[in-house]
Amino acid sequence: MLLADHDVAQFHELGFVMIEGVFSDGEVRLLRDAFESVSRSDHPANVVEKHTGAIRTAMGLHRRHAVFDRLVRDRRLVEPAVQLIGDQQLYAQQVKVNVKAAEVGEAWQWHYDFATHHHEDGVVLPLALNLHIFLDDVTMDNGPLQFVRGSHLVGAHETFLDTETTSYDLWCVSDEVVQPLADVNGVYTATGAAGSLLIFGDTLLHASPPNTSALDRRIFSLILNPVANASTIDRRHDWQHHREFVPIVASSATSLLL
Ligand code: SIN
Ligand code: MN
């Protein structure tokens, strides 16, 4: 699946692109079921919320369930990534579902992913892409991602390691840095139906508020990075940054349903 020229242009201009209706209802049900099965297992890559113990993120999923192993090779993810990054061999750097359970799902602070990839993993260039598939309808109330439009073009923002706010340590950007840029550029809130595909780059500023609604918000996330730009530090758990620098080959299958 290739992106239309206007989607590629938007990605370069704003730092993200969103396409609705990429995965069918049946595929979304399959992915939810696979996720529910891994989320019930007692595994260190299942991280819970600080205050409630509800599941926040489940990582390393392509190693834990056959459906996610198929998904990381799905052409609807791999082909747009190659199109946006350029003709490079890509490996699966991180494979997870970020949950945000109804009423208790906590925030993700303002950050950009390259800060973590660089500080923690020694990745040199901000080339990775974060590819999301919505497993629930994402609304204004259940913790949608927000992006500062065009913030990927601004250059490196000052960061700090936040080990306090949530149970997941994150290299963050302070509100004092984000707010003036958000005032000038505007903020995009990524709402959409289950089955939507959202792609954003490694230096785009993003955050998401708590889930205040009665609806869960589960989002699958695959980070693809060029093999030539692989991590150089092995400090984090493997499921936070996989060290199998094997190029992903897009599958010829047109559906996740066998
Ligand atoms: C979220 O799931 O709301 C945040 C995801 C991210 O930072 O990539
Ligand atoms: Mn992020």
Side-chain angles (χ1 to χ4, degrees):
M1 181 187 95
L2 287 180
L3 301 172
D5 290 347
H6 60 87
D7 288 326
V8 174
Q10 183 194 305
F11 175 82
H12 290 302
E13 187 191 344
L14 300 180
F16 60 88
V17 62
M18 159 107 174
I19 306 172
E20 298 213 51
V22 175
F23 289 80
S24 70
D25 292 348
E27 291 178 300
V28 168
R29 275 196 298 276
L30 184 76
L31 291 168
R32 283 186 196 155
D33 288 348
F35 168 68
E36 291 310 322
S37 141
V38 294
S39 70
R40 277 193 298 272
S41 69
D42 183 17
H43 194 291
N46 289 350
V47 179
V48 298
E49 300 285 15
K50 189 169 186 171
H51 298 292
T52 61
I55 189 157
R56 174 177 179 82
T57 185
M59 308 180 104
L61 297 185
H62 61 318
R63 302 262 184 80
R64 298 172 60 192
H65 200 291
V67 167
F68 291 112
D69 183 48
R70 285 211 294 285
L71 183 57
V72 298
R73 288 177 280 113
D74 194 286
R75 54 197 303 180
R76 290 163 289 182
L77 300 179
V78 179
E79 289 174 355
V82 171
Q83 188 183 5
L84 292 174
I85 295 181
D87 191 13
Q88 303 226 34
Q89 296 187 318
L90 306 176
Y91 70 97
Q93 174 176 322
Q94 197 181 69
V95 184
K96 64 184 181 289
V97 169
N98 282 345
V99 181
K100 246 178 239 245
E103 282 153 11
V104 298
E106 296 174 18
W108 288 82
Q109 313 93 301
W110 282 107
H111 70 284
Y112 58 98
D113 294 342
F114 183 63
T116 295
H117 303 160
H118 185 63
H119 288 299
E120 300 293 338
D121 307 328
V123 172
V124 175
L125 296 172
L127 300 176
L129 288 180
N130 201 329
L131 299 110
H132 283 191
I133 303 167
F134 293 0
L135 303 186
D136 295 293
D137 293 344
V138 178
T139 70
M140 294 304 275
D141 301 321
N142 68 356
L145 271 97
Q146 300 176 318
F147 300 119
V148 178
R149 293 167 184 258
S151 52
H152 63 305
L153 299 174
V154 174
H157 305 280
E158 195 183 324
T159 54
F160 64 97
L161 181 62
D162 183 349
T163 58
E164 296 293 322
T165 305
T166 71
S167 59
Y168 194 83
D169 297 352
L170 197 61
W171 284 89
C172 292
V173 178
S174 70
D175 289 351
E176 288 71 33
V177 172
V178 173
Q179 201 55 57
L181 197 58
D183 289 344
V184 172
N185 286 18
V187 169
Y188 172 81
T189 302
T191 58
S196 299
L197 172 65
L198 173 67
I199 307 174
F200 59 98
D202 223 18
T203 52
L204 187 71
L205 282 171
H206 58 284
S208 58
N211 185 350
T212 56
S213 81
L215 297 176
D216 287 338
R217 191 230 69 174
R218 291 162 290 188
I219 296 179
F220 171 81
S221 156
L222 166 65
I223 297 181
L224 292 175
N225 187 38
V227 172
N229 189 46
S231 62
T232 58
I233 301 172
D234 286 355
R235 190 166 53 223
R236 295 206 296 165
H237 294 296
D238 177 70
W239 57 80
Q240 290 174 299
H241 195 132
H242 293 284
R243 258 86 77 177
E244 222 170 39
F245 305 132
V246 180
I248 297 263
V249 177
S251 152
S252 57
T254 52
S255 167
L256 290 170
L257 303 170
L258 293 174

